[in-house]
mmCIF file of all heavy atoms in Angstrom:
data_model
loop_
_atom_site.group_PDB
_atom_site.id
_atom_site.type_symbol
_atom_site.label_atom_id
_atom_site.label_comp_id
_atom_site.label_asym_id
_atom_site.label_seq_id
_atom_site.Cartn_x
_atom_site.Cartn_y
_atom_site.Cartn_z
ATOM 1 N N ALA A 2 -12.191 -18.249 -4.240
ATOM 2 C CA ALA A 2 -10.817 -18.058 -4.669
ATOM 3 C C ALA A 2 -10.574 -18.732 -6.012
ATOM 4 O O ALA A 2 -11.094 -19.814 -6.292
ATOM 5 C CB ALA A 2 -9.861 -18.621 -3.625
ATOM 6 N N PRO A 65 33.983 19.054 1.975
ATOM 7 C CA PRO A 65 33.245 19.923 2.903
ATOM 8 C C PRO A 65 31.946 19.301 3.380
ATOM 9 O O PRO A 65 31.304 18.522 2.666
ATOM 10 C CB PRO A 65 32.997 21.181 2.057
ATOM 11 C CG PRO A 65 34.090 21.191 1.062
ATOM 12 C CD PRO A 65 34.373 19.747 0.751
ATOM 13 N N ILE A 112 27.369 3.415 -14.436
ATOM 14 C CA ILE A 112 28.468 3.703 -15.362
ATOM 15 C C ILE A 112 28.670 5.211 -15.473
ATOM 16 O O ILE A 112 29.806 5.706 -15.447
ATOM 17 C CB ILE A 112 28.177 3.087 -16.739
ATOM 18 C CG1 ILE A 112 28.137 1.561 -16.635
ATOM 19 C CG2 ILE A 112 29.225 3.526 -17.761
ATOM 20 C CD1 ILE A 112 27.746 0.859 -17.913
ATOM 21 N N CYS A 114 28.022 7.498 -13.273
ATOM 22 C CA CYS A 114 28.642 8.015 -12.051
ATOM 23 C C CYS A 114 30.157 7.910 -12.134
ATOM 24 O O CYS A 114 30.886 8.790 -11.671
ATOM 25 C CB CYS A 114 28.138 7.246 -10.831
ATOM 26 S SG CYS A 114 26.491 7.709 -10.264
ATOM 27 N N ILE A 150 6.926 -8.843 -6.530
ATOM 28 C CA ILE A 150 7.076 -10.004 -7.419
ATOM 29 C C ILE A 150 7.373 -11.257 -6.614
ATOM 30 O O ILE A 150 6.799 -12.325 -6.862
ATOM 31 C CB ILE A 150 8.188 -9.732 -8.459
ATOM 32 C CG1 ILE A 150 7.665 -8.743 -9.516
ATOM 33 C CG2 ILE A 150 8.653 -11.018 -9.127
ATOM 34 C CD1 ILE A 150 8.709 -8.269 -10.494
ATOM 35 N N ILE A 164 10.816 -13.545 0.703
ATOM 36 C CA ILE A 164 10.989 -12.092 0.560
ATOM 37 C C ILE A 164 12.177 -11.627 1.392
ATOM 38 O O ILE A 164 12.962 -10.766 0.966
ATOM 39 C CB ILE A 164 9.706 -11.342 0.977
ATOM 40 C CG1 ILE A 164 8.491 -11.855 0.213
ATOM 41 C CG2 ILE A 164 9.870 -9.847 0.703
ATOM 42 C CD1 ILE A 164 7.167 -11.257 0.674
ATOM 43 N N LEU A 214 32.761 2.723 -8.532
ATOM 44 C CA LEU A 214 31.372 3.039 -8.860
ATOM 45 C C LEU A 214 30.885 2.256 -10.066
ATOM 46 O O LEU A 214 29.758 1.735 -10.076
ATOM 47 C CB LEU A 214 31.228 4.541 -9.120
ATOM 48 C CG LEU A 214 31.224 5.457 -7.897
ATOM 49 C CD1 LEU A 214 31.234 6.911 -8.322
ATOM 50 C CD2 LEU A 214 30.023 5.176 -7.003
ATOM 51 N N VAL A 245 -7.335 -15.069 -16.421
ATOM 52 C CA VAL A 245 -7.069 -16.233 -15.582
ATOM 53 C C VAL A 245 -6.379 -17.337 -16.373
ATOM 54 O O VAL A 245 -5.490 -18.030 -15.863
ATOM 55 C CB VAL A 245 -8.378 -16.755 -14.958
ATOM 56 C CG1 VAL A 245 -8.116 -17.984 -14.101
ATOM 57 C CG2 VAL A 245 -9.045 -15.674 -14.124
ATOM 58 N N MET A 263 -5.331 -25.951 -12.013
ATOM 59 C CA MET A 263 -5.541 -24.509 -12.083
ATOM 60 C C MET A 263 -6.662 -24.120 -13.029
ATOM 61 O O MET A 263 -6.973 -22.938 -13.176
ATOM 62 C CB MET A 263 -4.240 -23.819 -12.521
ATOM 63 C CG MET A 263 -3.081 -24.029 -11.570
ATOM 64 S SD MET A 263 -1.578 -23.159 -12.074
ATOM 65 C CE MET A 263 -1.065 -24.158 -13.472
ATOM 66 N N ASP A 360 8.749 -16.930 9.267
ATOM 67 C CA ASP A 360 7.536 -17.724 9.109
ATOM 68 C C ASP A 360 7.299 -18.656 10.289
ATOM 69 O O ASP A 360 6.407 -19.501 10.239
ATOM 70 C CB ASP A 360 7.604 -18.538 7.806
ATOM 71 C CG ASP A 360 7.478 -17.657 6.574
ATOM 72 O OD1 ASP A 360 6.572 -16.804 6.538
ATOM 73 O OD2 ASP A 360 8.308 -17.801 5.641
ATOM 74 N N LEU A 379 21.442 1.150 21.797
ATOM 75 C CA LEU A 379 21.785 2.559 21.612
ATOM 76 C C LEU A 379 21.818 3.306 22.946
ATOM 77 O O LEU A 379 22.677 4.156 23.169
ATOM 78 C CB LEU A 379 20.801 3.211 20.647
ATOM 79 C CG LEU A 379 20.972 2.798 19.179
ATOM 80 C CD1 LEU A 379 19.749 3.174 18.353
ATOM 81 C CD2 LEU A 379 22.230 3.421 18.585
ATOM 82 N N ARG A 427 -4.052 -4.552 -7.010
ATOM 83 C CA ARG A 427 -4.059 -3.360 -7.867
ATOM 84 C C ARG A 427 -3.466 -2.133 -7.176
ATOM 85 O O ARG A 427 -3.237 -1.117 -7.813
ATOM 86 C CB ARG A 427 -5.481 -3.061 -8.335
ATOM 87 C CG ARG A 427 -6.470 -2.729 -7.243
ATOM 88 C CD ARG A 427 -7.889 -2.855 -7.759
ATOM 89 N NE ARG A 427 -8.873 -2.487 -6.742
ATOM 90 C CZ ARG A 427 -9.521 -1.340 -6.728
ATOM 91 N NH1 ARG A 427 -9.281 -0.436 -7.660
ATOM 92 N NH2 ARG A 427 -10.407 -1.082 -5.786
ATOM 93 N N GLY A 434 5.623 1.357 -2.443
ATOM 94 C CA GLY A 434 6.457 2.494 -2.796
ATOM 95 C C GLY A 434 6.253 3.683 -1.874
ATOM 96 O O GLY A 434 7.214 4.379 -1.516
ATOM 97 N N GLY A 447 17.656 11.258 9.195
ATOM 98 C CA GLY A 447 18.566 10.599 10.128
ATOM 99 C C GLY A 447 20.025 10.766 9.759
ATOM 100 O O GLY A 447 20.853 11.106 10.608
ATOM 101 N N SER A 455 26.108 15.198 15.647
ATOM 102 C CA SER A 455 26.939 14.363 16.513
ATOM 103 C C SER A 455 28.243 15.018 16.953
ATOM 104 O O SER A 455 28.972 14.441 17.760
ATOM 105 C CB SER A 455 27.260 13.043 15.799
ATOM 106 O OG SER A 455 27.926 13.286 14.570
ATOM 107 N N SER A 480 13.947 4.419 18.179
ATOM 108 C CA SER A 480 13.696 2.971 18.177
ATOM 109 C C SER A 480 12.575 2.603 19.145
ATOM 110 O O SER A 480 11.742 1.737 18.845
ATOM 111 C CB SER A 480 14.981 2.223 18.551
ATOM 112 O OG SER A 480 16.014 2.486 17.632
ATOM 113 N N GLY A 516 -5.084 -6.892 21.025
ATOM 114 C CA GLY A 516 -5.731 -7.459 22.196
ATOM 115 C C GLY A 516 -7.216 -7.668 21.965
ATOM 116 O O GLY A 516 -7.850 -8.451 22.639
#
Side-chain angles (χ1 to χ4, degrees):
I112 295 175
C114 282
I150 286 173
I164 306 174
L214 284 174
V245 179
M263 299 182 287
D360 289 313
L379 287 164
R427 63 197 182 103
S455 58
S480 300

